[in-house]
Amino acid sequence: MKRLLPFLMLTLFLLSLTANGQRPSKNEDSSIPTNFNDATKSKDKNGIKNYSEIITKDAITDTGLFSVHKIKEEYFYEIPFNKLKKEMLWVSRISQLPQGLGGGYFNAGSKTNEQVVQWTRFQNKILLKVKSYANVADSTKAIHNSVVVNNYEPTLFAFDIKAFNTDSTAVVINVTPLFNTDVMAISGLSARLRKEYKVKKLESSLSFINGIKSFPENIEVKQDLTYSASEPPSFSDMESISLQMNQSMILLPKEPMRPRTYDSRVGFFTVSQYDYGSKELKADQKTYIRRWRLEPKDSVAYANGELVEPIKPIVYYLDPGTPENLREYIKQGIEEWQKPFETAGFKNAILAKDAPTAEEDPEFSPEDVRYSVVRYVASTTRNATGPSVSDPRSGEIIESDIIWYHNHLRSYRNRYLLETGAANPSARTLNTPESEIGEMMRMVIAHEVGHALGFPHNMAASYAYPVDSLRNGAFTQENGIAASIMDYARYNYVAQPEDENIRFIRQIGPYDHYATNWGYRVIPSAATKEMEKDTLNHWIRKHELDPKYKFGRQSSRFDPQSQTESIGNDPIIAGDYGLSNLKFVAQNLKSWTSDQTNDYGDLEELYEELLSVYSRYVGHVVTNIGGVYENLKTPDQEGYVFTHVSPEVQKSSMVWLQLNIFATPTWLIDKDILLNIDHAGYFEGLRKVQERHINGLLSFDRIGRMLDAETTEVSYYSALDMLKDLRTGLWSEMGRGSNVDIFRRNLQRTYLDRMAFLMMDNGPEKRYNGSDFESTFVFDVSTSDVHTLVRGELKTLRSRLQAAKNSSVNTITRYHYEDAIARIDQLLEPGK
């Protein structure tokens, strides 16, 4: 017994030490030391120091998810042990950027990466690990271990442990090296941009941490980075690229929201995983929609069909810098979505509020992930965006910031004047009435909020209404100009000057109510996501034959039903109305602009945009040729997913194009405009528009689709038919023996250049094709009929040119024909 006594006393002593320290839970890092007295010695052999030696009295501390300490120019994270191995979403965004970065496709707020991370301990280091949900399996299944060992997750950065805090509940690391080092995973410059701008290295002396803020559920870092680059997008003499990054680290919910399975027939942004625990004979891809977590306060009343408030509504705060005269319109745009949410059974589901003052809430910050904000950006950028951050485990949207750039309203004013000015007298001015500007802003905000709610563009919504219904005042007032606010159908350009009581600006439509109900309505009878499927499918099938409830992908660029900036269900008829209006605007453009301002700046700007509007109307008709309708459906629905546009519509479209784009549009050649905006370039501006559509018609993709039609259709408009009709129309002067004017000569040479491209090129080696993007398909150009058809057309053209050059034409026409013959000879017989 005497021998056992010392042993028992030692055991009790050790147990008391363990009891006095913090015990890690099952979910926490097992590497956390249990004897913290040893861990916090003044300095052990691993270089871990006393807390007060690292976090000195000079430290400026910000408490939150982690305590962040700033000491001079260095930043330290004090990470609680109970936050180790917690899943956090790391979002990298460009906060400020140089002009022209990415060819104009990046702007302030652009997201460059999004990844799940965990902070873990390994010996005397803290590792920042990237965790992937791309491949998953139920942890109770044997295959889960295989998924783990075959998908080892990378380490983003490793930090030495500097100290433990005074009560041994947290570890201290210096995070300065992470943000002062060129870490690709959180960088604003992708490998492609680095190659394009010949980036050499990060200039450490010109890069620094701008600031770090810690909030209860997130940490926000601003870092300024400067790279040396031989060919930067701007400030070329500096040979450098500077940008500011915002790094957000967001604690994910402890319990993921129940996901809702995605159905391609209803438009939602998504998250995807490969489930190796599936009963399928392969890794089964699971795709879930992105949506906010809306749960009814009173589930019984909700199940009985009553409107019920959500436990946690979606709230957007207005940026304090928002101009006073615009605030009400922004609030209205946000709360436009209250009605669609009522369709889903929720009242007051989305709210707009002014940001609290410092007196009302001194802790409020737009950077805090608990607050979603409509940010008003003083920038010359003409854009608005609706990005959001979502949980990759479930698709739950956690936070979003709508970004409005100050100059965006100018774009809307210009489009309003150009597209509606003929039928809408109030649009015939540079000083659009504030109420109408406000209505435009309200609907732009509603559109961007739609993105932030999980909705992508629905480009089929503008095809839902017959063209002539858009000339009916009662119809447009009730239904708007498209079935969804999520289409790019900004204005009613179809309505004519004699039409009355027309709505010209878009609005929330029936599809928005339908999609909100489909994605957000709680299904009380379903206990799991699998049990929801029959109900969700029933809701779709109930409306399957009604075009108002059709979803059309923006990426389906071969589909005339799903086009950007188009309205009405017939591009030819809509194009006729649109061009009639545009001609009226062109005749009056000078009197509406320079005659009023005594300055030609607005005239020049609007004329350039008028060319763009004209080009869009033409492009809508081009899509008919070689077009394929895409009607997303499941095998239990009748009909095909893909259907070729009828040969009659394609032929009519070619006739329309010959009349409206390839025959010189003389109404665009106005001396009163051209001679007042530039000294040169009059014929080139028009040629560029024509070139765009020549190249669009004569593309590998379009010709390939037309060749495909020969394999599945009895009646079709063949690639040979299209090429023959195009050649005949473009070179019609030969048949008439008439002279060719400068515009047609340029157009004909543009045609020869494109035919040369088709003759010599074999198309791209590979194309991107993902589940959320329907790319142009791939076929082997060299073994297809493409080169054969082009060669045949060029030989026919050469023969006719030989005869035409000797007819009674003027000298420049003869020279032009001889030059065209020489160009064709070089293509057909290059060595001769």
Side-chain angles (χ1 to χ4, degrees):
M1 184 68 184
K2 289 181 179 179
R3 290 181 179 181
L4 288 174
L5 187 59
F7 177 77
L8 289 171
M9 292 179 66
L10 176 61
T11 301
L12 289 170
F13 175 71
L14 292 173
L15 286 172
S16 70
L17 289 176
T18 304
N20 290 331
Q22 176 180 317
R23 296 180 183 177
S25 70
K26 292 180 181 179
N27 295 325
E28 292 171 9
D29 195 343
S30 60
S31 64
I32 298 170
T34 55
N35 187 339
F36 292 114
N37 291 328
D38 288 341
T40 55
K41 287 180 180 178
S42 177
K43 184 175 182 179
D44 68 13
K45 61 182 180 179
N46 296 307
I48 299 175
K49 296 184 178 181
N50 192 308
Y51 182 80
S52 61
E53 294 181 73
I54 301 298
I55 307 305
T56 67
K57 58 182 176 58
D58 297 324
I60 300 172
T61 299
D62 187 20
T63 58
L65 179 64
F66 302 163
S67 288
V68 176
H69 308 283
K70 181 183 180 185
I71 304 172
K72 296 182 180 178
E73 301 304 318
E74 294 190 309
Y75 287 84
F76 296 82
Y77 281 180
E78 185 174 321
I79 307 174
F81 287 124
N82 63 11
K83 293 296 189 295
L84 292 177
K85 289 198 172 179
K86 297 294 184 183
E87 295 175 339
M88 303 183 188
L89 191 65
W90 191 296
V91 183
S92 301
R93 290 194 186 97
I94 298 176
S95 180
Q96 297 187 55
L97 71 165
Q99 182 180 357
L101 185 72
Y105 291 98
F106 286 89
N107 53 48
S110 291
K111 183 168 60 178
T112 59
N113 201 4
E114 185 175 305
Q115 54 203 325
V116 177
V117 300
Q118 288 179 325
W119 299 86
T120 64
R121 183 179 179 187
F122 175 72
Q123 297 177 356
N124 289 303
K125 289 186 179 294
I126 294 295
L127 307 181
L128 182 58
K129 300 282 289 184
V130 176
K131 184 174 178 61
S132 172
Y133 276 92
N135 302 298
V136 298
D138 190 322
S139 60
T140 64
K141 296 182 178 180
I143 197 171
H144 175 75
N145 183 63
S146 179
V147 171
V148 171
V149 299
N150 286 288
N151 294 273
Y152 187 61
E153 292 157 338
T155 299
L156 188 68
F157 213 85
F159 307 85
D160 292 330
I161 293 175
K162 297 298 184 183
F164 298 95
N165 68 346
T166 53
D167 62 357
S168 300
T169 60
V171 62
V172 177
I173 61 172
N174 186 342
V175 294
T176 310
L178 170 64
F179 299 112
N180 281 351
T181 306
D182 189 15
V183 180
M184 279 291 294
I186 62 173
S187 167
L189 293 181
S190 64
R192 179 185 67 81
L193 292 179
R194 289 166 187 256
K195 182 178 180 181
E196 179 179 352
Y197 301 131
K198 292 184 169 51
V199 172
K200 300 171 186 175
K201 64 175 182 176
L202 179 73
E203 295 290 353
S204 300
S205 62
L206 301 177
S207 303
F208 51 89
I209 300 172
N210 195 284
I212 302 180
K213 294 181 180 179
S214 187
F215 301 98
E217 297 174 14
N218 61 299
I219 294 177
E220 302 292 324
V221 180
K222 281 274 196 328
Q223 53 176 161
D224 280 53
L225 304 172
T226 294
Y227 297 85
S228 61
S230 299
E231 298 181 8
S234 55
F235 296 103
S236 56
D237 292 344
M238 300 293 292
E239 292 197 354
S240 66
I241 298 173
S242 292
L243 67 159
Q244 187 177 90
M245 294 295 298
N246 189 90
Q247 309 291 350
S248 300
M249 188 182 72
I250 304 159
L251 181 66
L252 289 173
K254 184 177 181 181
E255 292 296 329
M257 176 186 72
R258 182 205 290 179
R260 177 157 291 180
T261 303
Y262 169 67
D263 191 308
S264 63
R265 296 170 292 176
V266 186
F268 271 90
F269 294 124
T270 61
V271 296
S272 295
Q273 307 167 354
Y274 281 99
D275 184 359
Y276 283 85
S278 168
K279 294 180 181 179
E280 301 290 334
L281 298 178
K282 62 180 179 65
D284 190 17
Q285 187 176 37
K286 301 289 181 66
T287 303
Y288 306 121
I289 66 172
R290 292 175 57 187
R291 57 179 182 157
W292 295 78
R293 188 188 297 224
L294 287 184
E295 300 164 329
K297 283 182 179 179
D298 187 337
S299 56
V300 174
Y302 186 90
N304 289 333
E306 298 178 35
L307 284 180
V308 175
E309 290 189 342
I311 295 171
K312 183 180 180 182
I314 304 164
V315 180
Y316 279 96
Y317 293 89
L318 268 61
D319 188 326
T322 305
E324 291 80 1
N325 64 315
L326 299 178
R327 293 189 177 194
E328 195 58 36
Y329 301 121
I330 294 174
K331 289 180 180 179
Q332 290 171 358
I334 295 166
E335 295 186 350
E336 279 288 310
W337 285 96
Q338 286 193 356
K339 289 295 183 183
F341 275 116
E342 288 178 9
T343 302
F346 292 101
K347 67 178 179 181
N348 298 324
I350 184 167
L351 304 170
K353 296 183 179 182
D354 289 317
T357 64
E359 292 75 21
E360 293 169 332
D361 184 356
E363 298 299 315
F364 178 85
S365 171
E367 308 296 341
D368 191 333
V369 75
R370 293 175 298 170
Y371 306 113
S372 294
V373 179
V374 179
R375 297 172 181 262
Y376 196 95
V377 181
S379 166
T380 58
T381 300
R382 296 189 185 184
N383 200 8
T385 61
S388 62
V389 173
S390 61
D391 185 341
R393 303 169 301 177
S394 65
E396 178 186 356
I397 296 174
I398 297 167
E399 177 268 352
S400 83
D401 286 342
I402 308 300
I403 303 172
W404 177 277
Y405 299 95
H406 180 72
N407 275 24
H408 198 34
L409 280 176
R410 188 175 181 90
S411 296
Y412 276 83
R413 181 210 64 181
N414 289 357
R415 292 277 298 274
Y416 194 53
L417 184 152
L418 294 170
E419 295 184 29
T420 78
N424 180 13
S426 66
R428 301 168 187 172
T429 176
L430 297 174
N431 299 308
T432 310
E434 184 175 308
S435 61
E436 293 172 44
I437 285 287
E439 178 69 1
M440 295 173 209
M441 186 173 202
R442 173 184 173 186
M443 294 305 161
V444 180
I445 291 293
H447 178 94
E448 300 306 337
V449 169
H451 286 320
L453 296 175
F455 302 120
H457 291 132
N458 176 9
M459 294 308 181
S462 55
Y463 202 83
Y465 299 153
V467 173
D468 284 337
S469 68
L470 301 174
R471 298 187 58 189
N472 183 309
F475 180 91
T476 59
Q477 293 296 341
E478 180 179 352
N479 300 285
I481 60 176
S484 173
I485 193 74
M486 300 314 298
D487 201 325
Y488 273 170
R490 304 172 208 266
Y491 297 117
N492 185 345
Y493 61 79
V494 161
Q496 297 298 289
E498 62 269 24
D499 301 335
E500 298 179 352
N501 192 34
I502 296 295
R503 179 172 178 87
F504 291 99
I505 301 171
R506 59 183 169 176
Q507 65 184 32
I508 293 277
Y511 173 85
D512 303 312
H513 288 259
Y514 159 75
T516 304
N517 182 74
W518 191 92
Y520 280 93
R521 178 171 284 279
V522 176
I523 305 174
S525 60
T528 66
K529 63 180 183 293
E530 288 77 17
M531 294 174 67
E532 295 181 340
K533 288 185 178 179
D534 286 344
T535 299
L536 295 172
N537 183 56
H538 171 71
W539 290 344
I540 295 172
R541 292 298 303 271
K542 187 167 64 172
H543 297 293
E544 65 181 320
L545 299 179
D546 191 333
K548 294 194 299 292
Y549 303 103
K550 172 181 165 59
F551 172 67
R553 298 187 286 183
Q554 183 176 1
S555 54
S556 303
R557 300 182 183 183
F558 47 80
D559 183 359
Q561 300 171 116
S562 299
Q563 301 201 70
T564 63
E565 315 291 356
S566 175
I567 60 172
N569 65 350
D570 189 322
I572 292 177
I573 299 174
D576 283 338
Y577 284 136
L579 291 186
S580 175
N581 285 338
L582 211 54
K583 290 173 184 177
F584 178 90
V585 170
Q587 290 171 358
N588 292 279
L589 196 58
K590 185 173 179 291
S591 65
W592 296 347
T593 58
S594 57
D595 286 358
Q596 305 300 316
T597 63
N598 199 31
D599 181 272
Y600 290 116
D602 289 293
L603 177 64
E604 180 177 5
E605 179 180 326
L606 282 159
Y607 180 75
E608 292 298 323
E609 292 195 32
L610 185 146
L611 290 177
S612 296
V613 173
Y614 165 64
S615 181
R616 280 195 292 271
Y617 296 167
V618 170
H620 299 153
V621 178
V622 169
T623 307
N624 276 339
I625 299 176
V628 178
Y629 299 124
E630 179 184 55
N631 295 295
L632 299 168
K633 56 183 65 182
T634 51
D636 61 337
Q637 294 176 270
E638 294 182 1
Y640 298 110
V641 173
F642 298 105
T643 308
H644 290 273
V645 174
S646 73
E648 293 77 20
V649 169
Q650 294 191 57
K651 281 179 174 289
S652 297
S653 298
M654 178 59 78
V655 172
W656 191 93
L657 292 171
Q658 295 288 0
L659 292 173
N660 291 288
I661 179 71
F662 300 138
T664 304
T666 54
W667 59 276
L668 284 168
I669 308 163
D670 187 333
K671 288 175 61 175
D672 287 343
I673 296 176
L674 295 176
L675 294 180
N676 284 314
I677 64 174
D678 210 336
H679 72 290
Y682 311 137
F683 60 79
E684 181 62 12
L686 179 56
R687 190 202 66 82
K688 285 182 178 178
V689 176
Q690 294 174 319
E691 177 185 44
R692 176 182 177 184
H693 298 298
I694 284 283
N695 292 351
L697 280 171
L698 298 176
S699 69
F700 289 126
D701 302 322
R702 194 178 312 275
I703 295 172
R705 291 195 298 272
M706 300 181 84
L707 293 173
D708 256 349
E710 297 183 30
T711 68
T712 59
E713 306 298 319
V714 175
S715 176
Y716 51 86
Y717 186 54
S718 69
L720 177 59
D721 292 333
M722 186 270 283
L723 289 169
K724 178 181 176 182
D725 290 346
L726 182 61
R727 168 180 50 79
T728 302
L730 290 180
W731 299 85
S732 59
E733 292 88 348
M734 289 190 303
R736 300 193 304 268
S738 57
N739 296 321
V740 186
D741 69 28
I742 184 171
F743 295 101
R744 293 279 290 182
R745 295 197 299 270
N746 290 334
L747 173 64
Q748 290 167 4
R749 281 188 286 266
T750 297
Y751 164 84
L752 290 175
D753 285 345
R754 187 61 181 181
M755 293 291 276
F757 169 77
L758 293 179
M759 185 78 177
M760 306 300 294
D761 199 271
N762 284 324
E765 293 181 3
K766 59 181 180 180
R767 311 267 177 98
Y768 171 77
N769 191 15
S771 61
D772 61 343
F773 182 84
E774 186 64 30
S775 80
T776 46
F777 65 92
V778 177
F779 67 99
D780 189 338
V781 173
S782 64
T783 60
S784 75
D785 285 339
V786 173
H787 292 162
T788 302
L789 290 169
V790 172
R791 183 182 297 276
E793 282 299 302
L794 289 175
K795 289 179 71 175
T796 299
L797 178 58
R798 180 175 62 179
S799 174
R800 299 192 176 177
L801 285 167
Q802 290 282 10
K805 72 182 179 68
N806 296 320
S807 62
S808 55
V809 293
N810 62 14
T811 303
I812 188 62
T813 298
R814 186 174 72 256
Y815 286 171
H816 169 61
Y817 286 164
E818 290 172 348
D819 176 70
I821 292 167
R823 289 172 183 239
I824 295 171
D825 286 343
Q826 285 182 329
L827 282 171
L828 298 181
E829 302 171 14
K832 191 171 179 180

